[in-house]
Amino acid sequence: MPKILTQQQVEQYRQQGFLSPIDVMSEEEASRYAQQLQAAEVEYPQELNAENRNNPHLAFGFLDQLAHHPVILDAVEDLIGPDFALWGSVLFIKEPETRHYVSWHQDATYVGISPHDYVTPWLALTPSDRETGCMSMIPGSHRDDIQPHLETFHDDNILTRGQAIQEVDESVAVDLILRPGQMSLHHCRVIHGSQPNRSKQRRVGFALQGYVPAGGRQYLGANYWLPIRGNFMQADFIELERPASDMDPQALGERRKANQNWADILYQGAGRKRAY
Ligand SMILES: O=C(O)CCC(=O)C(=O)O
Protein backbone atom coordinates (compact mmCIF):
# COMPACT_ATOMS: atom_id res chain seq x y z
CA MET A 1 0.00 0.00 0.00
CA PRO A 2 1.73 3.25 -1.10
CA LYS A 3 2.14 6.03 1.52
CA ILE A 4 1.13 9.05 -0.51
CA LEU A 5 1.19 8.16 -4.19
CA THR A 6 -1.67 6.26 -5.79
CA GLN A 7 -1.06 2.82 -7.28
CA GLN A 8 -1.73 4.46 -10.65
CA GLN A 9 1.05 7.04 -10.05
CA VAL A 10 3.50 4.31 -9.08
CA GLU A 11 2.59 2.45 -12.27
CA GLN A 12 2.96 5.63 -14.31
CA TYR A 13 6.50 6.11 -12.94
CA ARG A 14 7.35 2.53 -13.85
CA GLN A 15 6.02 2.95 -17.40
CA GLN A 16 7.21 6.47 -18.19
CA GLY A 17 10.27 6.93 -15.95
CA PHE A 18 8.93 10.11 -14.31
CA LEU A 19 6.01 11.48 -12.34
CA SER A 20 4.82 15.10 -12.14
CA PRO A 21 3.52 17.29 -10.60
CA ILE A 22 3.40 16.24 -6.94
CA ASP A 23 2.45 18.81 -4.28
CA VAL A 24 5.08 19.05 -1.52
CA MET A 25 4.31 22.40 0.14
CA SER A 26 2.38 25.61 -0.44
CA GLU A 27 3.61 28.25 -2.85
CA GLU A 28 4.18 30.61 0.10
CA GLU A 29 6.37 28.09 1.92
CA ALA A 30 8.42 27.44 -1.22
CA SER A 31 8.89 31.19 -1.68
CA ARG A 32 10.22 31.41 1.88
CA TYR A 33 12.81 28.73 1.02
CA ALA A 34 13.71 30.65 -2.18
CA GLN A 35 14.23 33.80 -0.08
CA GLN A 36 16.35 31.91 2.45
CA LEU A 37 18.46 30.64 -0.42
CA GLN A 38 18.91 34.12 -1.85
CA ALA A 39 19.93 35.44 1.59
CA ALA A 40 22.48 32.61 1.96
CA GLU A 41 23.89 33.36 -1.51
CA VAL A 42 24.43 36.98 -0.45
CA GLU A 43 25.94 36.07 2.93
CA TYR A 44 28.18 33.22 1.72
CA PRO A 45 29.01 33.94 -1.95
CA GLN A 46 31.99 31.53 -1.92
CA GLU A 47 29.79 28.66 -0.81
CA LEU A 48 26.82 29.28 -3.13
CA ASN A 49 27.58 30.50 -6.64
CA ALA A 50 27.30 29.26 -10.24
CA GLU A 51 30.39 27.08 -9.78
CA ASN A 52 29.52 25.79 -6.33
CA ARG A 53 26.01 24.36 -6.23
CA ASN A 54 26.63 20.69 -5.48
CA ASN A 55 25.65 19.13 -2.16
CA PRO A 56 24.55 22.34 -0.38
CA HIS A 57 22.28 20.24 1.88
CA LEU A 58 25.43 19.19 3.77
CA ALA A 59 26.23 22.79 4.77
CA PHE A 60 22.84 24.53 5.12
CA GLY A 61 20.13 23.52 7.58
CA PHE A 62 17.20 24.72 5.45
CA LEU A 63 18.34 22.58 2.52
CA ASP A 64 18.93 19.61 4.84
CA GLN A 65 15.29 20.10 5.93
CA LEU A 66 14.20 19.79 2.30
CA ALA A 67 16.30 16.64 1.87
CA HIS A 68 14.33 15.18 4.80
CA HIS A 69 10.91 16.59 3.89
CA PRO A 70 8.34 13.89 4.80
CA VAL A 71 6.28 14.30 1.63
CA ILE A 72 9.36 13.91 -0.55
CA LEU A 73 10.55 10.89 1.44
CA ASP A 74 7.13 9.20 1.45
CA ALA A 75 6.87 9.55 -2.33
CA VAL A 76 10.42 8.20 -2.72
CA GLU A 77 9.56 5.27 -0.44
CA ASP A 78 6.51 4.49 -2.59
CA LEU A 79 8.80 4.20 -5.61
CA ILE A 80 11.93 2.48 -4.26
CA GLY A 81 10.97 0.89 -0.93
CA PRO A 82 11.63 1.70 2.75
CA ASP A 83 15.46 1.44 2.89
CA PHE A 84 17.36 4.23 1.15
CA ALA A 85 20.10 6.86 1.36
CA LEU A 86 20.78 10.16 -0.40
CA TRP A 87 23.83 10.38 -2.65
CA GLY A 88 23.81 14.16 -3.14
CA SER A 89 21.99 17.29 -4.26
CA VAL A 90 22.28 20.05 -6.86
CA LEU A 91 20.79 23.53 -7.01
CA PHE A 92 19.79 23.98 -10.65
CA ILE A 93 19.46 27.75 -10.98
CA LYS A 94 18.86 29.60 -14.25
CA GLU A 95 19.12 33.36 -13.95
CA PRO A 96 16.56 35.55 -15.80
CA GLU A 97 17.07 35.92 -19.58
CA THR A 98 20.19 33.76 -19.80
CA ARG A 99 21.31 31.17 -22.33
CA HIS A 100 22.04 28.31 -19.93
CA TYR A 101 20.44 25.02 -20.87
CA VAL A 102 20.64 21.31 -20.05
CA SER A 103 21.17 18.99 -23.03
CA TRP A 104 19.39 15.64 -23.42
CA HIS A 105 21.10 13.21 -21.06
CA GLN A 106 20.66 10.26 -18.70
CA ASP A 107 21.81 10.92 -15.11
CA ALA A 108 23.13 7.38 -14.64
CA THR A 109 25.79 7.83 -17.37
CA TYR A 110 28.57 9.31 -15.23
CA VAL A 111 27.50 8.99 -11.60
CA GLY A 112 28.88 5.48 -11.01
CA ILE A 113 25.98 4.08 -9.00
CA SER A 114 24.69 0.57 -9.53
CA PRO A 115 22.05 -0.78 -9.98
CA HIS A 116 20.06 1.75 -11.98
CA ASP A 117 16.99 1.95 -9.77
CA TYR A 118 17.40 5.28 -8.00
CA VAL A 119 15.17 8.32 -8.23
CA THR A 120 15.63 12.11 -8.28
CA PRO A 121 12.99 14.43 -6.83
CA TRP A 122 13.29 17.92 -8.37
CA LEU A 123 11.58 20.53 -6.17
CA ALA A 124 10.59 23.88 -7.70
CA LEU A 125 11.24 26.89 -5.46
CA THR A 126 10.15 29.31 -8.23
CA PRO A 127 7.85 28.71 -11.24
CA SER A 128 9.24 26.13 -13.66
CA ASP A 129 7.46 26.33 -17.01
CA ARG A 130 8.21 26.67 -20.73
CA GLU A 131 9.24 30.30 -20.35
CA THR A 132 11.55 29.81 -17.36
CA GLY A 133 13.08 26.61 -18.82
CA CYS A 134 11.38 23.62 -17.20
CA MET A 135 12.65 20.07 -17.58
CA SER A 136 11.34 17.91 -20.45
CA MET A 137 11.33 14.11 -20.37
CA ILE A 138 11.25 11.40 -23.03
CA PRO A 139 8.63 8.92 -21.78
CA GLY A 140 9.74 5.31 -21.45
CA SER A 141 13.40 6.06 -22.28
CA HIS A 142 14.51 4.72 -18.86
CA ARG A 143 13.78 1.22 -20.19
CA ASP A 144 16.63 1.57 -22.74
CA ASP A 145 20.33 1.21 -22.02
CA ILE A 146 22.65 4.16 -21.52
CA GLN A 147 22.89 5.97 -24.87
CA PRO A 148 26.11 7.43 -26.32
CA HIS A 149 26.72 10.97 -24.97
CA LEU A 150 28.80 13.51 -26.87
CA GLU A 151 30.97 15.54 -24.45
CA THR A 152 30.52 19.07 -25.82
CA PHE A 153 31.74 21.14 -22.83
CA HIS A 154 29.56 23.89 -24.36
CA ASP A 155 29.87 27.13 -22.36
CA ASP A 156 26.10 27.51 -21.91
CA ASN A 157 25.52 23.89 -20.98
CA ILE A 158 25.03 23.47 -17.22
CA LEU A 159 26.07 19.78 -17.17
CA THR A 160 29.61 18.96 -16.05
CA ARG A 161 30.83 17.69 -19.43
CA GLY A 162 28.10 19.35 -21.52
CA GLN A 163 27.19 15.77 -22.34
CA ALA A 164 24.46 15.40 -24.95
CA ILE A 165 22.58 12.51 -26.52
CA GLN A 166 22.35 13.29 -30.24
CA GLU A 167 19.48 11.08 -31.40
CA VAL A 168 16.34 12.07 -29.50
CA ASP A 169 12.79 12.15 -30.81
CA GLU A 170 11.84 15.52 -29.33
CA SER A 171 8.30 15.29 -30.73
CA VAL A 172 7.34 12.95 -27.85
CA ALA A 173 8.95 15.03 -25.06
CA VAL A 174 6.77 15.95 -22.08
CA ASP A 175 7.31 19.32 -20.36
CA LEU A 176 7.16 19.18 -16.57
CA ILE A 177 5.41 22.36 -15.48
CA LEU A 178 5.68 23.01 -11.74
CA ARG A 179 4.48 25.77 -9.48
CA PRO A 180 6.73 26.67 -6.53
CA GLY A 181 6.33 23.90 -3.93
CA GLN A 182 5.66 21.11 -6.43
CA MET A 183 8.14 18.42 -7.43
CA SER A 184 8.73 15.94 -10.21
CA LEU A 185 10.40 12.56 -9.70
CA HIS A 186 12.56 11.00 -12.39
CA HIS A 187 14.33 7.68 -12.91
CA CYS A 188 18.12 7.77 -13.23
CA ARG A 189 18.04 6.51 -16.82
CA VAL A 190 15.20 8.58 -18.29
CA ILE A 191 16.36 10.97 -21.04
CA HIS A 192 15.71 14.59 -20.07
CA GLY A 193 16.92 18.16 -20.61
CA SER A 194 15.79 21.78 -20.37
CA GLN A 195 15.78 25.01 -22.40
CA PRO A 196 17.09 28.47 -21.37
CA ASN A 197 15.20 30.79 -19.07
CA ARG A 198 13.61 33.46 -21.30
CA SER A 199 11.67 35.07 -18.45
CA LYS A 200 12.47 37.98 -16.15
CA GLN A 201 12.55 35.81 -13.02
CA ARG A 202 14.95 33.19 -11.67
CA ARG A 203 14.20 29.51 -12.14
CA VAL A 204 15.33 27.63 -9.04
CA GLY A 205 15.08 23.87 -8.71
CA PHE A 206 16.55 21.74 -5.93
CA ALA A 207 17.41 18.26 -7.21
CA LEU A 208 17.91 15.51 -4.64
CA GLN A 209 20.12 13.38 -6.77
CA GLY A 210 19.30 10.76 -5.99
CA TYR A 211 17.71 8.58 -3.34
CA VAL A 212 19.26 5.14 -3.76
CA PRO A 213 17.61 1.95 -2.44
CA ALA A 214 19.42 -0.66 -0.32
CA GLY A 215 21.78 -2.77 -2.40
CA GLY A 216 23.01 0.29 -4.32
CA ARG A 217 26.68 1.22 -4.27
CA GLN A 218 29.14 3.65 -5.79
CA TYR A 219 31.72 1.93 -8.00
CA LEU A 220 33.77 4.87 -9.34
CA GLY A 221 34.57 6.63 -6.07
CA ALA A 222 34.19 6.50 -2.31
CA ASN A 223 30.91 5.31 -0.81
CA TYR A 224 29.90 8.48 1.06
CA TRP A 225 26.19 8.35 1.86
CA LEU A 226 23.59 10.19 3.92
CA PRO A 227 21.36 7.40 5.31
CA ILE A 228 17.72 8.50 5.20
CA ARG A 229 15.34 5.64 6.01
CA GLY A 230 15.66 2.00 7.07
CA ASN A 231 18.82 -0.03 6.46
CA PHE A 232 21.05 1.05 3.62
CA MET A 233 24.65 1.13 4.80
CA GLN A 234 27.15 -1.64 4.01
CA ALA A 235 30.34 -2.43 5.96
CA ASP A 236 32.65 -0.29 3.79
CA PHE A 237 30.25 2.68 3.45
CA ILE A 238 31.03 6.01 5.14
CA GLU A 239 28.20 7.98 6.71
CA LEU A 240 27.98 11.72 6.01
CA GLU A 241 26.87 13.98 8.88
CA ARG A 242 23.88 16.30 8.76
CA PRO A 243 24.70 20.00 9.42
CA ALA A 244 24.17 21.02 13.08
CA SER A 245 23.90 24.65 11.92
CA ASP A 246 24.51 26.60 8.72
CA MET A 247 28.13 26.71 7.66
CA ASP A 248 29.60 25.19 10.82
CA PRO A 249 33.14 23.91 10.20
CA GLN A 250 32.10 20.26 10.49
CA ALA A 251 29.32 20.77 7.92
CA LEU A 252 31.66 22.58 5.52
CA GLY A 253 34.13 19.73 5.83
CA GLU A 254 31.45 17.17 4.99
CA ARG A 255 30.40 19.14 1.91
CA ARG A 256 34.00 19.57 0.69
CA LYS A 257 34.62 15.84 1.11
CA ALA A 258 31.47 14.97 -0.84
CA ASN A 259 32.17 17.53 -3.57
CA GLN A 260 35.74 16.31 -4.08
CA ASN A 261 34.43 12.77 -4.39
CA TRP A 262 31.82 13.97 -6.93
CA ALA A 263 34.47 15.74 -9.02
CA ASP A 264 36.62 12.59 -9.03
CA ILE A 265 33.62 10.54 -10.16
CA LEU A 266 31.92 12.88 -12.62
CA TYR A 267 35.13 13.75 -14.51
CA GLN A 268 36.65 10.29 -14.48
CA GLY A 269 38.24 9.71 -17.90
CA ALA A 270 37.13 13.15 -19.20
CA GLY A 271 39.43 15.11 -21.51
CA ARG A 272 38.67 18.37 -19.66
CA LYS A 273 37.47 19.45 -16.25
CA ARG A 274 35.36 22.47 -15.35
CA ALA A 275 35.23 24.31 -12.03
CA TYR A 276 31.98 22.60 -10.97
O1 LIG B 1 17.22 21.73 -13.79
C1 LIG B 1 17.32 21.35 -14.95
O2 LIG B 1 16.95 22.05 -15.88
C2 LIG B 1 17.89 19.99 -15.25
C3 LIG B 1 18.05 19.15 -14.03
C4 LIG B 1 18.51 17.76 -14.28
O3 LIG B 1 19.01 17.42 -15.32
C5 LIG B 1 18.35 16.79 -13.20
O4 LIG B 1 17.84 17.13 -12.12
O5 LIG B 1 18.72 15.61 -13.40
Side-chain angles (χ1 to χ4, degrees), residues 92 94 102 105 107 120 122 133 135 186 192 194 203 207 209:
F92 281 103
K94 289 183 190 159
V102 172
H105 69 286
D107 295 340
T120 294
W122 192 104
M135 282 198 292
H186 67 266
H192 60 290
S194 67
R203 194 223 59 171
Q209 197 151 43

Side-chain angles (χ1 to χ4, degrees), residues 26-60:
S26 69
E27 203 160 330
E28 293 69 34
E29 202 180 344
S31 300
R32 282 196 293 275
Y33 277 107
Q35 282 160 15
Q36 247 178 309
L37 173 62
Q38 218 146 355
E41 287 174 295
V42 170
E43 195 168 353
Y44 307 110
Q46 280 94 334
E47 293 298 327
L48 288 173
N49 59 59
E51 294 182 343
N52 194 2
R53 288 187 176 150
N54 292 341
N55 295 309
H57 67 292
L58 293 173
F60 293 94

Side-chain angles (χ1 to χ4, degrees), residues 89-100:
S89 69
V90 183
L91 279 164
F92 281 103
I93 300 177
K94 289 183 190 159
E95 301 297 346
E97 298 179 312
T98 47
R99 293 197 303 246
H100 294 115

